[in-house]
Amino acid sequence: MTAPPDPTTPRPSGAPVLSVRHLSASYRLRGALVPAVRDVSFDLHAGEVLALVGESAAGKTTVAHAILGVLPH
């Protein structure tokens, strides 16, 4: 879970180089869909650094694979 952006922090101008909105992903396990990530949204602007942090099996790699389009079908 991420905290909302601090409104006092200056935002970079221009369009984000990466914009993710309402990303959700599930895996099929024994015929059932198991949610891995739900409703992930963020913008990444030029010059910014984004870190996905969380416990093991929190969905960090799933978010990255979904963005890259390499999740198994």
Side-chain angles (χ1 to χ4, degrees):
M1 191 86 159
T2 60
D6 181 351
T8 62
T9 303
R11 296 288 306 178
S13 60
V17 294
L18 176 63
S19 182
V20 175
R21 290 285 170 267
H22 308 291
L23 173 71
S24 295
S26 299
Y27 291 99
R28 187 166 301 280
L29 179 65
R30 296 185 192 110
L33 283 179
V34 178
V37 293
R38 291 186 207 143
D39 203 28
V40 175
S41 297
F42 60 85
D43 288 330
L44 183 64
H45 290 85
E48 288 185 325
V49 175
L50 174 72
L52 296 176
V53 294
E55 296 182 23
S56 179
K60 302 173 299 287
T61 300
T62 299
V63 169
H65 285 170
I67 291 168
L68 294 172
V70 296
L71 283 179
H73 295 285

